[in-house]
Amino acid sequence: MVRMGTVWDRTTDVLRGRAGILAPIAAVAIFLPSLVNTALSLGLKKGTPTAAVLAMVVALAVLFANVWGQLAMLAIATHPATTRADAGHAATRRVLPAVGVLLLLGLLFFLLVVPPIVMMARAGVDLTSQTAMQSMPAQLSTFVGLYSLILLIVLLFVGARMLLLNAVVLNERRGVGAIARSWRLTRGMTFRLVALLVLFGVVVLIPTLAVQSVVGLVFRLILGQGGQVVTAFVAAAAGAAVTTAFTVVAAAFTAQLYVAAVAEEDPAY
C-alpha cells in the first residue's frame, strides 16, 4: 500500500536537493507563458476575429509550454541522476503525446457539458446573459444545478485517478493507453487523492488570491485609476508566481507518487 506520508517525505527531499534545477524550468515554461497570456488578454481588443484567433493560438502555445515544463520537472523529480538537458530532451520527445491525451480528455469533458447547454438553449435561455440562471424555469434550474454538482464530483474523482497521466506518458512512452495505466496505478488511492486534490486546491487558492489582492491594492494606491492595466498585470504576475511555486511542488509529488505506485505494483522497479 502506497503511504502518502512517505511520498511527501520523498517529495521534500527532491525539492531540497533539486530545487535549483526545477525552479528555472518552472520560470520559463510555467511563469513566463502565463505573463505573456495575461499581457495579451489585457492588450487585445475583445470581440474581433483577429483577437479571437490570436488568443486561441497563444492559449495553445501556453498549453504546450506548460505541458513541456511539467514533463521536464517530472523527469528531474523521478530519477535523481537526470540532468536539466536530459529532462528537456525527454519532455520534447513526449510533449506531443501528452498534449494529445489532454486534448482528448478535454473533448470528453466538453461532451459531458453539452447536455445542460442544449437543454437551456432549447428552453430559450439566453446563454450570454449574466442572469441566465435566474431566467431559467424552476425544473430546468434544478436539473442544471444537480447535473453540475454530479459532474463536478465525477471530474474530481476522475482527476484523482488521472494524477499520474503525464508521468506515465513520460516514463512509459504511452499515448492514449496512459489513461488506463494511470487508472490502474492509482487503484486503492482514490479517496486519499481526492482529499489531497481538494486540500491542495485550497492551499493554492488562498495565498494566490491574497497575494493578488495585496499587490493589486498597493499598485492601485501608487498608480491611481490611470494605471488599471499595469495594476491588473502586476497583480496577475504576483498570483502566477505563487501558482508556479506550487506547480513545482505538485510535479515533485506526482513524480514520487508514480515511483511509489510502480514500486508497489512491481517491487523490482
Side-chain angles (χ1 to χ4, degrees):
M1 180 179 180
V2 175
R3 297 182 180 276
M4 291 299 168
T6 303
V7 174
W8 274 116
D9 290 341
R10 292 174 180 173
T11 299
T12 303
D13 292 338
V14 169
L15 293 173
R16 188 183 296 118
R18 316 221 74 190
I21 303 177
L22 292 167
I25 293 175
V28 172
I30 309 294
F31 181 65
L32 287 181
S34 176
L35 292 189
V36 172
N37 196 36
T38 299
L40 181 68
S41 64
L42 291 173
L44 275 180
K45 278 188 176 181
K46 306 294 190 298
T48 64
T50 302
V53 171
L54 185 57
M56 187 178 300
V57 170
V58 171
L60 190 59
V62 169
L63 174 63
F64 269 91
N66 287 173
V67 173
W68 183 91
Q70 290 170 15
L71 292 173
M73 288 188 291
L74 282 171
I76 289 170
T78 302
H79 303 291
T82 304
T83 65
R84 188 180 303 169
D86 294 336
H89 292 151
T92 301
R93 287 194 300 268
R94 302 305 299 161
V95 67
L96 281 176
V99 170
V101 173
L102 288 177
L103 291 177
L104 174 61
L105 292 175
L107 176 60
L108 295 176
F109 168 72
F110 173 76
L111 293 177
L112 290 175
V113 175
V114 166
I117 294 177
V118 171
M119 293 188 67
M120 287 188 288
R122 294 181 64 179
V125 178
D126 183 5
L127 299 176
T128 62
S129 172
Q130 294 182 349
T131 60
M133 289 296 293
Q134 289 81 355
S135 63
M136 279 192 292
Q139 289 184 339
L140 180 58
S141 178
T142 301
F143 168 77
V144 172
L146 287 175
Y147 187 93
S148 300
L149 178 60
I150 293 171
L151 180 59
L152 178 62
I153 294 172
V154 169
L155 290 177
L156 187 59
F157 275 81
V158 172
R161 300 299 295 269
M162 292 296 104
L163 195 61
L164 299 181
L165 189 67
N166 280 341
V168 172
V169 172
L170 174 72
N171 292 292
E172 301 183 17
R173 298 183 176 276
R174 296 175 186 250
V176 176
I179 296 174
R181 175 64 170 160
S182 178
W183 192 271
R184 288 196 301 272
L185 285 175
T186 53
R187 186 184 296 120
M189 296 187 278
T190 305
F191 287 98
R192 287 179 292 163
L193 292 179
V194 167
L196 182 68
L197 286 178
V198 172
L199 178 61
F200 189 77
V202 172
V203 169
V204 173
L205 184 63
I206 291 176
T208 300
L209 292 178
V211 168
Q212 284 181 326
S213 299
V214 171
V215 172
L217 177 61
V218 170
F219 273 80
R220 195 176 301 116
L221 292 173
I222 295 173
L223 301 177
Q225 293 298 320
Q228 289 183 350
V229 174
V230 175
T231 298
F233 177 78
V234 174
V242 175
T243 56
T244 299
F246 280 106
T247 301
V248 175
V249 176
F253 175 83
T254 302
Q256 290 307 305
L257 181 63
Y258 170 78
V259 171
V262 173
E264 179 74 14
E265 183 182 70
D266 181 10
Y269 175 76

